[in-house]
Amino acid sequence: SQQGEEDPQALSIQEGENATMNCSYKTSINNLQWYRQNSGRGLVHLILIRSNEREKHSGRLRVTLDTSKKSSSLLITASRAADTASYFCASNSGGSNYKLTFGKGTLLTVNP
Amino acid sequence: DTAVSQTPKYLVTQMGNDKSIKCEQNLGHDTMYWYKQDSKKFLKIMFSYNNKELIINETVPNRFSPKSPDKAHLNLHINSLELGDSAVYFCASSQLGQGTDTQYFGPGTRLTVL
């Protein structure tokens, strides 16, 4: 089985609502990252949380990390139509190669 | 100013052909990656080069051969293309050893094998 399983696979909300996406991973990590992918585009880094951190904020984004449960969540507050995209978590297990293992992603649709 | 660029953006070819995808980054990073994203959007690392040396080589058919002529370029050559190679291929780069391993992705190359 793979690292980084996102939940839910798809989420549809109204503009202004909050969106919460969850991610689980299998092995111990150095850090966990969240990326956004707009349709037909490359991935864009959103936020990184290290294994010794529990919560991190960046603008309307809030990420939590629970290493005991091997899970993370991404909260987008006051969502906008422009937030419509796929969101991926990616775990980094450390070591010298900085390999990222991506989950399958959550497709978020924000309806105007 | 494009940070990570890939060419071509679209590639349609017949089974059995050989094709190359090129990637260039102008961020001064020392590490570059190739990922494959399948039709279900699952993104999987294929290769990684650090300072022109291969550091990650996942279980990828040897029909795929990466080449890094310098730190700013990482090309992907695919021999004897198969239907299952159809996917979107993403190049990415990062700078190791700076306490962060944020990766910067190119726009992707959509490969369709007929």
Side-chain angles (χ1 to χ4, degrees), chain B residues 49-69:
Chain B
Y49 271 73
N50 175 257
N51 283 317
K52 302 195 299 175
E53 293 206 14
L54 183 67
I55 59 171
I56 297 176
N57 186 354
E58 292 294 288
T59 308
V60 176
N62 57 16
R63 297 182 294 104
F64 290 79
S65 53
K67 282 189 173 50
S68 181

Side-chain angles (χ1 to χ4, degrees), chain A residues 2 30-31 33 35 37 39-43 45 48 50 86 88 92 96-100 102-104, chain B residues 9 33 35 37 40-43 45 48 55-56 58 90 96-107:
Chain A
Q2 63 191 29
N30 185 22
N31 63 66
Q33 304 178 34
Y35 287 79
Q37 183 180 31
S39 180
R41 309 289 288 273
L43 280 77
H45 181 263
L48 179 152
R50 301 195 185 283
S86 291
F88 295 86
N92 172 257
S96 60
N97 60 25
Y98 286 85
K99 173 182 165 183
L100 289 182
F102 283 84
K104 293 180 180 176
Chain B
K9 188 168 173 61
Y33 311 81
Y35 288 88
Q37 187 174 45
K40 296 184 179 178
K41 293 215 163 185
F42 180 53
L43 199 68
I45 184 136
S48 174
I55 59 171
I56 297 176
E58 292 294 288
F90 287 98
L96 298 190
Q98 287 189 340
T100 176
D101 46 358
T102 298
Q103 295 188 13
Y104 295 79
F105 282 77

Side-chain angles (χ1 to χ4, degrees), chain A residues 4-11 19-24 34 72-74 87 89 103-107:
Chain A
E5 304 262 358
E6 283 90 345
D7 165 46
Q9 290 189 342
L11 179 61
T20 299
M21 288 159 270
N22 302 300
C23 166
S24 62
W34 285 89
S72 173
S73 68
L74 171 68
Y87 292 82
C89 69
K104 293 180 180 176
T106 293
L107 176 59

